[in-house]
Amino acid sequence: MFARPLQSPSDMTPPVPGTPRVPAYKSPYGPNWRGTGISSMALTEFRYYFQTHVGTITPKTVMRTSVKAGLFGGVALFTVIFYASGIPRIQQDILQRIPIIGQRFIKEKIPASDNPF
C-alpha cells in the first residue's frame, strides 16, 4: 500500500546477490542520525543540535584558549625565574623553598678570616 521510505543512498540501488551490504558514507559534518539500522523498517531520525555559546565563544573555544594560556603562562613563569635567579632576594624568598632544587641556591658565608684582603 505505502512504499517503504528510503533510509540512505545505499537503499536506492538494488543489492547484487552474494555481496555484503555496506552502509553508506556518513559525513562527519552532516547531522547526527539515529535509527535501528539501515536494513530495518524504522525511519532514521535526523536531528540538528544547537551548540551552546555566548556571542562567538563556545565551550570548545574556552578549553582550547585556556590550555594555550596555561602553557604560555608556565613558560613565561619559568623564563622570569630563570633570568631572576641571580638576584639574592629571589634566591632566598622563592628558589630556596623549592623542595628538590632549593639546596642549590643556599650559599655558605665565608668567614672574614678567610678573606685574603
Side-chain angles (χ1 to χ4, degrees), residues 10-100:
S10 64
D11 287 340
M12 294 180 200
T13 58
V16 178
T19 59
R21 187 167 183 131
V22 178
Y25 172 74
K26 181 184 180 304
S27 172
Y29 303 106
N32 296 330
W33 63 277
R34 290 186 302 194
T36 56
I38 292 176
S39 63
S40 69
M41 296 296 284
L43 293 174
T44 305
E45 189 176 318
F46 288 97
R47 290 189 179 181
Y48 286 96
Y49 296 97
F50 291 103
Q51 186 175 18
T52 56
H53 63 87
V54 176
T56 59
I57 301 171
T58 63
K60 187 175 184 179
T61 305
V62 170
M63 288 301 296
R64 284 182 179 171
T65 306
S66 62
V67 168
K68 290 177 186 177
L71 291 173
F72 182 77
V75 170
L77 178 67
F78 175 78
T79 304
V80 167
I81 290 177
F82 178 75
Y83 282 123
S85 64
I87 301 171
R89 182 73 178 195
I90 301 291
Q91 290 177 355
Q92 294 169 0
D93 291 346
I94 299 173
L95 298 176
Q96 287 179 2
R97 295 184 180 163
I98 298 174
I100 298 172

Side-chain angles (χ1 to χ4, degrees), residues 91 95-97 101-109:
Q91 290 177 355
L95 298 176
Q96 287 179 2
R97 295 184 180 163
I101 62 171
Q103 298 296 324
R104 180 180 180 272
F105 297 101
I106 297 176
K107 293 186 179 178
E108 298 178 15
K109 296 198 176 207

